[in-house]
Amino acid sequence: MNIPRRALLGALAASAPVATTLATPAFGQARYPNRPIRFLIPWPPGGSLDALHRQMFEIMGRDLGQNIIIENMPGARGTRAAFFLTQQARPDGYTLAHHHLSILRHPFLTRQPTWDPIADFSYIMQITGFVFGTAVRADRGWNSFDDMIAEARRRPGELTYSTSGIATTNHLAMEDILAQRGVRMEHIPTRGAQEGVTMLLGRQIDIVADAQSWRPQVEAGEFKLLSVWTPTRLASAPNAPTLRELGLGTSVTSPYGVVGPKGLEPELVDVLHRAFKKAFEDDASQAIMRRWENPNEYLGPQAYYEFARERVAYERDTVRRLNLSID
């Protein structure tokens, strides 16, 4: 829905209907936003995350009258955007970032102080989660997840699997899966799920254990999906069992959202939340959600903050229990 520019330049009205106006606040003599907004994504381009964000930002750009410019910052286990946000960004609403569970976990993995995962961010909106799975080349000869595990048992430590980085959610989940099955594989960290797909296509690794950049190859018959980590099976891959069906007692979606630097004024958080929510609920964005079968994990600012605060305790305890470190 296009909204006339003049409707965006009025004073913020808390009671204004979300569906019809995105009124913007005045700060001093300026109106927000009066220049493009920078959005940091700590992964390479491609996949469901990139597709959804770009669609949402196209809608937001029309509504807010300013472009939302994506800057991909891959590497460092998905933490580069968080480092920039906490060390260089001003709390003016013009620098925002994709936020994920590894950011909550990171401070407990290193002796070097980094950030307070609650106090050092302004929580705006949780959006969705990842669709993780284990994918292999179709010509590998494994017909099931148990076939893969059986070969790993015959060749301890020889099979390789990729994830989007050391101590990421999918890395920890995969290590837990292997521990439950009593087998070992070599972990190959990458800068993002698409890099793992490229490596699997080139036979440089044996397995991708990551978000669904593998989907096009699965649909084309080049890859076989041996498991999905969602609570229920995917409609597009009805033969791929869930982790719970495999007796592993878990599901993993790693919810993600949008944050700003600490100190964003409540009026800015409100404007941004309403803009993100409107873009997320747009039919075009929901079509991408359906296309990639992403779970709807929407939370508003306060609920997202509360989720993060509770999750931090879990991440801290997990790191301590597993004696994890990246130092």
Side-chain angles (χ1 to χ4, degrees):
M1 177 186 298
N2 288 323
I3 298 177
R5 177 66 176 161
R6 61 180 178 274
L8 299 174
L9 297 177
L12 176 66
S15 61
V18 174
T20 58
T21 184
L22 293 173
T24 55
F27 297 100
Q29 298 301 312
R31 298 285 179 171
Y32 178 84
N34 60 14
R35 54 188 170 89
I37 296 169
R38 183 183 185 189
F39 193 90
L40 311 179
I41 297 180
W43 313 113
S48 61
L49 183 153
D50 203 58
L52 179 60
H53 278 323
R54 289 181 186 278
Q55 180 59 59
M56 289 175 62
F57 295 162
E58 180 180 336
I59 297 164
M60 289 178 64
R62 293 197 302 264
D63 285 346
L64 294 176
Q66 293 289 342
N67 290 333
I68 291 83
I69 300 173
I70 290 178
E71 182 175 340
N72 293 94
M73 303 178 72
R77 302 168 304 281
T79 61
R80 289 185 60 209
F83 273 109
F84 187 92
L85 212 62
T86 55
Q87 296 178 4
Q88 300 184 51
R90 297 175 57 190
D92 55 10
Y94 289 100
T95 305
L96 308 172
H98 167 91
H99 201 61
H100 54 100
L101 295 188
S102 292
I103 305 304
L104 305 183
R105 183 182 310 120
H106 184 79
F108 310 113
L109 292 166
T110 176
R111 292 187 297 270
Q112 183 69 27
T114 52
W115 52 73
D116 183 315
I118 300 302
D120 286 344
F121 300 96
S122 296
Y123 284 82
I124 296 169
M125 189 176 111
Q126 184 170 287
I127 302 173
T128 180
F130 294 99
V131 175
F132 293 115
T134 45
V136 300
R137 289 183 60 96
D139 57 9
R140 183 66 196 231
W142 296 332
N143 294 316
S144 68
F145 183 85
D146 287 339
D147 286 347
M148 178 188 75
I149 294 297
E151 182 157 349
R153 187 166 287 115
R154 289 192 298 270
R155 301 167 54 197
E158 294 184 26
L159 298 185
T160 56
Y161 75 92
S162 72
T163 74
S164 47
I166 296 171
T168 52
T169 298
N170 47 318
H171 174 213
L172 298 188
M174 187 62 176
E175 286 298 314
D176 183 56
I177 290 167
L178 297 178
Q180 287 193 56
R181 285 291 195 258
V183 298
R184 291 186 294 110
M185 295 183 185
E186 182 182 356
H187 175 224
I188 308 297
T190 68
R191 296 184 303 166
Q194 187 59 52
E195 186 176 338
V197 167
T198 301
M199 294 173 70
L200 185 57
L201 284 168
R203 303 178 189 273
Q204 297 168 281
I205 58 172
D206 298 300
I207 302 144
V208 167
D210 218 319
Q212 56 178 325
S213 289
W214 35 254
R215 180 182 285 268
Q217 283 72 32
V218 170
E219 292 175 341
E222 296 176 282
F223 290 175
K224 183 179 295 181
L225 193 59
L226 299 184
S227 74
V228 292
W229 301 5
T230 44
T232 59
R233 294 196 184 200
L234 301 180
S236 62
N239 295 324
T242 67
L243 296 181
R244 293 190 185 278
E245 290 174 320
L246 291 168
L248 294 161
T250 189
S251 60
V252 183
T253 61
S254 191
Y256 64 79
V258 178
V259 298
K262 70 176 180 181
L264 279 186
E265 296 190 33
E267 293 87 352
L268 268 178
V269 171
D270 181 66
V271 167
L272 288 165
H273 166 243
R274 290 189 290 137
F276 274 107
K277 186 172 187 289
K278 182 173 183 287
F280 176 62
E281 292 175 343
D282 188 272
D283 288 346
S285 299
Q286 289 300 304
I288 291 174
M289 291 279 288
R290 291 189 296 272
R291 164 72 177 91
W292 293 87
E293 297 178 274
N294 291 105
N296 185 338
E297 304 212 30
Y298 162 79
L299 293 174
Q302 186 60 36
Y304 191 19
Y305 170 84
E306 295 294 342
F307 166 83
R309 189 172 65 174
E310 293 177 7
R311 183 74 189 203
V312 161
Y314 170 84
E315 298 294 345
R316 180 191 61 230
D317 293 345
T318 299
V319 168
R320 289 176 179 172
R321 175 172 55 84
L322 299 177
N323 194 28
L324 300 173
S325 174
I326 58 173
D327 288 329

